[in-house]
Each structure stands twice: as structure tokens, then as C-alpha cells.
Amino acid sequence: MTRINEHVHVLEVPLVAKTPVRVTLVTGADYAVLVDTGTKQMAPAILELIREAAGELQRVRLVINTHAHHDHIGANHQIKTACRSLLCAPVETIAWIEDFEVHYREFCLVAPEVLPDAPWMREEALSILDMESHVDLCPQEGDLIRLGSGVELHVLALPGHLKAELGFIETATNTLILGDALINNGITDLGPMFHGYQRAAAYKSTLRKLRSLAEEQRFASVVSAHLPLVDWEGFVELVDRAESFVSKIESDLLAIVEEKEDGTLKIVWEALCEKWGYREEFRGLAMVMTHLDLLVAANQVRRSEAGTYRIA
Ligand SMILES: [Zn+2]
């Protein structure tokens, strides 16, 4: 357990390669809130964190999933049951949390003609999830969660990495708590794959929003699920690096579309994976799809009726 400050505690376990996954416990005088539940294997350690930092398990009234990716909701059922808490998540993500077939389909089968259903994908997506759980509450931008003694979570909407994602500003300690709103390719080693984003336009807006938040407020600490724990300066640097990652993907895609004139989605995606030396898997494929959509909408790339791409 890492104590960020009097009210914010973090549990970190290794996930893949050199990258950890974290869950965050925020404690107030009246109750506590757990942000994300990591993987199903983390449940005993999370319960230990709660006992250590909050005392009684039932002090955790709310368990909030920042977003519905499998490494953020994995222990939902075990924690919700043990703490008898309400499970909260963005309204757009209910189906991923309550129905793992929908989760699998929308996370992994983004273009089945390019990357069809396969046992390795099912294993990768579903093996760290415990059980489907009922979502009780859906926080949204502007909501205020008041934990007592001035500890307050201001809810932020930070979509793009997935179609919906939440972040929080804890005001008493000036802490920003994020899930994956700052994706980490090129920052920490997540293994050879694109962590990526499923909604390119929304993700670009989210990065601008995080930058203007940093201009307004000098956060004492910024916690995110997979990135190093940072102060304000470190946060600004992470925003810079996340923005340059998106720009790099955009310029790489434009160069590939130009080079592979009339290339299909499969050809463009494979070329991008090859360029970065990354695995051909669903997260990268979803990122290429949404970014190509954005380039088509901006009239920089043209998509033919047959689904091939060329520079407009
Ligand atoms: Zn994620």
C-alpha cells in the first residue's frame, strides 16, 4: 500500500511487462470510496488495503469503476459483496460490466473480418474478470461525492480511451485520480502493444481538458492506473507525452495510407503494428479504426465504397 496523503491510499500490483495496475481508496470521516477494482486476482489485497486504511470493510459505500476495461472492473463482484457497497460506473459502460459477452464483443471483436473470435482473445479479455455485477449508480461530470470532513470527489468525464471514462479531483488534498485517461505508450512499458483509444476525437478533447485543468490547478499529486505517481510538473509532462503519442499515430497513419495507396483496414493496421514492432491485437485495431474515421471526417483521408483508404 502507498499512502499518497492522509485521505488517498493506493494499492499497486504488477499487471504486464513493467506496468502495474492500481486501485485507489479515498477515505473521509463518514465513508470511503474505492476507485477501480483491478483484476479478480487482486481482491484479497484490495480487502487488506481497505482494512488497513479505512478499518471496517463496510466503510466503503461506493466502488466506482473509472471505465469498464477488464483490468479496472476485475474484482467488482468480490469487493462489492464483501463491502456491501454500491457499484458505480459511467452509464455508457453498464453493459460491459453486467454482461461479459457484450464486454468481449465490443472490446475485442471490433472488426471480426480482420481479427475474428479466437480463444487467446477470450482468455486475454475474460480471465481477469470475476463475475458480472449490477451497476447501482452512474456518476457523471459535475457530480460531487462528499465523504465527510471536507473530503470531496468532483467527478470529471474523460472519454476517449473508451467511450466513457471518469476521473476525480479530491479537493481536500488537491489530488487528481485517473484511470487510463492518459494512455501510456512510450511512457511505461506495457509490452509490445498499443494501449490506445477507442474514440479518437473524444480522446483528443480529453487531453485538451486535462491540459486546461493543469493550467487552472496545481495538483499536489496525480494518481493513475498504470503510470508513475506524479506531482503537477510530472502530470504536465504526461499530458505532453500522451498528446505526442496521438500526433505520432496520426502522422504514421497518414504516411502508411499514402504508401499503401488503396490499402484495406487490415493492411494499414498491420503496417502500423510492424512499424512500432507491436503485436497485432484488438486494442491497436480499434485505435486504427477510430483514428482513420477521424481522418476521413477531417477530409484528410478518403475511404472508398470497398473500404480502402487513400490520401484525400
Ligand atoms: Zn483501460
Side-chain angles (χ1 to χ4, degrees), residues 67 69 71-72 161-162 165 180 195 226:
H67 64 296
H69 268 150
D71 54 330
H72 297 256
H161 169 63
L162 265 193
E165 175 158 349
D180 291 356
H195 194 203
H226 309 294

Side-chain angles (χ1 to χ4, degrees), residues 195-211:
H195 194 203
Y197 38 89
Q198 269 202 346
R199 304 289 156 112
Y203 188 56
K204 282 185 164 187
S205 311
T206 281
L207 293 179
R208 284 194 292 274
K209 182 171 177 173
L210 290 173
R211 181 174 298 287

